[in-house]
Amino acid sequence: MSSISTRHLLGIKQINEKDIQLIFETADNFKTVINRPIKKVPSLRDITIANLFFENSTRTRVSFELAEKRLSADVVNFSSSSSSVSKGETLIDTVKNILSMKVDMVVMRHPKPGAHMFLSKHIDAQIINAGDGTHEHPTQALLDAYSIREKLGDVAGKKVVIVGDILHSRVALSNILCLQKLGAEVMVCGPTTLIPKYIHELGVKVEYNLQKALNWCDVANMLRIQLERQDIKYFPSLREYSLQYGLTLDMLNSLNKEITIMHPGPINRGVEITSEVADSEHSIILQQVENGVAVRMAVMYLLAGQVSGVQ
Ligand code: CP
């Protein structure tokens, strides 16, 4: 069997197309498993995984924990709000203390970009990035691309627009890198203030008009406005933003083709997307969440096999 080329999953930047295809093929098998009456396999029975969340999460945290339990791993959960981090402990001390209890793999979400790369130089355990600040969210990009492949048959050659707060979004960067490695064309769309100045260097198209972006694409991935990461005002009001960049059913109905609508969650209904669109047949938002479990099972299974020969 092929193996993944990396010891950690720090970002999409560090993996190649072959790794991504291997993750998808492995996730296909796990998707079958989690739809069976008995949803568990013994693959990671001897592995202990710590989920370290230094930032809030619903989907990613629950999805990783379910994926770990479906693989029969031993799981320990940690969240910074109820820990000794608030007493001044450093990241390395916190993680080293947890690892001294014989943990093999760390799934971490952290508000600082690069926290995972830093940690990987100081600890022996394998690390999976579950989101680092505004930088990368690799498993979200993998599950997004997997969901496009499932819906449209392939990712190569597809046109994907990522709409909204590109500047503060780790989902945007990981999606751009992942979709390009798989041969898709990528466009970003949003207000000028929320599009990074040097985005062209990533080889993406830029469009400031949502209707034109929708006319161009096969898939629109609608991002949340990350107010918690914005220290200044980037647009006059949420109402103004939603008038310019909120996706409505009327817009979709005005197109002379079907497009697929995605959202990584959490959704701000009525801001970046109306409820009518989020709950419509155009949307694959809940399929993305379902696929997240199979994709994360695949990532952890392949990484564990990389160091211990898990079959
Ligand atoms: N998509 C995503 O990362 O959601 P959470 O913040 O709820 O994990």
Side-chain angles (χ1 to χ4, degrees):
M1 187 189 154
S2 317
S3 58
I4 197 162
S5 70
T6 177
R7 185 176 141 73
H8 309 287
L9 180 61
L10 301 178
I12 297 294
K13 193 169 176 204
Q14 284 84 19
I15 57 174
N16 57 43
E17 195 216 334
K18 207 161 145 262
D19 293 326
I20 299 172
Q21 297 293 3
L22 178 61
I23 291 168
F24 287 179
E25 284 156 25
T26 312
D28 287 341
N29 292 330
F30 285 131
K31 189 150 182 192
T32 310
V33 168
I34 60 179
N35 282 295
R36 290 193 314 221
I38 297 171
K39 301 175 176 61
K40 247 176 138 155
V41 285
S43 312
L44 299 193
R45 203 177 39 205
D46 300 321
I47 306 279
T48 303
I49 304 177
N51 299 316
L52 312 184
F53 278 72
F54 294 86
E55 200 184 67
N56 293 343
S57 170
T58 301
R59 275 144 294 272
T60 312
R61 191 172 52 77
V62 173
S63 178
F64 266 111
E65 188 173 344
L66 265 180
E68 290 151 5
K69 289 181 170 166
R70 301 278 189 250
L71 290 166
S72 305
D74 290 322
V75 179
V76 55
N77 289 308
F78 163 98
S79 82
S80 58
S81 56
S82 56
S83 76
S84 293
V85 170
S86 56
K87 300 177 195 163
E89 191 168 64
T90 65
L91 174 62
I92 291 184
D93 279 340
T94 299
V95 176
K96 278 192 169 165
N97 273 275
I98 291 167
L99 293 183
S100 67
M101 298 178 227
K102 309 294 174 218
V103 169
D104 303 293
M105 196 181 281
V106 168
V107 173
M108 185 169 85
R109 171 167 289 190
H110 199 279
K112 299 279 187 228
H116 302 74
M117 181 68 81
F118 171 74
L119 202 59
S120 70
K121 297 186 194 316
H122 292 89
I123 65 169
D124 285 335
Q126 291 181 281
I127 301 172
I128 298 177
N129 182 354
D132 62 328
T134 55
H135 181 220
E136 278 228 41
H137 191 351
T139 56
Q140 180 69 45
L142 290 166
L143 75 89
D144 288 345
Y146 183 85
S147 302
I148 293 173
R149 169 183 175 266
E150 183 179 68
K151 171 81 181 178
L152 302 180
D154 200 353
V155 178
K158 300 296 179 296
K159 294 177 175 172
V160 182
V161 64
I162 304 171
V163 182
D165 187 356
I166 311 298
L167 186 65
H168 299 97
S169 173
R170 54 192 173 214
V171 175
L173 180 60
S174 287
N175 260 267
I176 289 167
L177 298 175
C178 186
L179 292 166
Q180 288 179 335
K181 285 183 188 206
L182 294 171
E185 275 187 81
V186 185
M187 173 187 279
V188 294
C189 176
T192 47
T193 49
L194 290 176
I195 305 279
K197 204 169 169 187
Y198 300 107
I199 193 86
H200 294 97
E201 291 177 12
L202 290 176
V204 298
K205 295 179 192 303
V206 179
E207 175 58 68
Y208 300 105
N209 180 298
L210 179 59
Q211 191 68 51
K212 286 186 185 166
L214 296 174
N215 284 333
W216 173 84
C217 74
D218 302 306
V219 178
N221 194 352
M222 308 303 296
L223 302 183
R224 181 175 67 87
I225 292 292
Q226 309 223 351
L227 289 174
E228 74 278 18
R229 298 194 204 281
Q230 298 182 7
D231 45 1
I232 57 167
K233 274 196 167 291
Y234 289 85
F235 45 84
S237 66
L238 282 178
R239 188 169 173 278
E240 180 91 8
Y241 178 84
S242 84
L243 286 171
Q244 296 283 327
Y245 292 101
L247 182 59
T248 65
L249 207 50
D250 283 348
M251 281 178 173
L252 289 182
N253 290 337
S254 75
L255 304 173
N256 56 7
K257 60 176 182 178
E258 276 290 314
I259 66 168
T260 299
I261 305 304
M262 303 174 70
H263 194 304
I267 298 174
N268 285 318
R269 287 176 183 260
V271 179
E272 65 269 7
I273 188 169
T274 62
S275 281
E276 271 183 325
V277 175
D279 302 330
S280 72
E281 73 280 9
H282 307 284
S283 153
I284 58 165
I285 295 171
L286 291 179
Q287 287 94 315
Q288 290 172 256
V289 177
E290 181 187 342
N291 288 334
V293 177
V295 166
R296 290 178 173 120
M297 285 172 82
V299 167
M300 290 186 285
Y301 172 81
L302 291 166
L303 289 180
Q306 213 260 4
V307 295
S308 67
V310 166
Q311 291 295 318

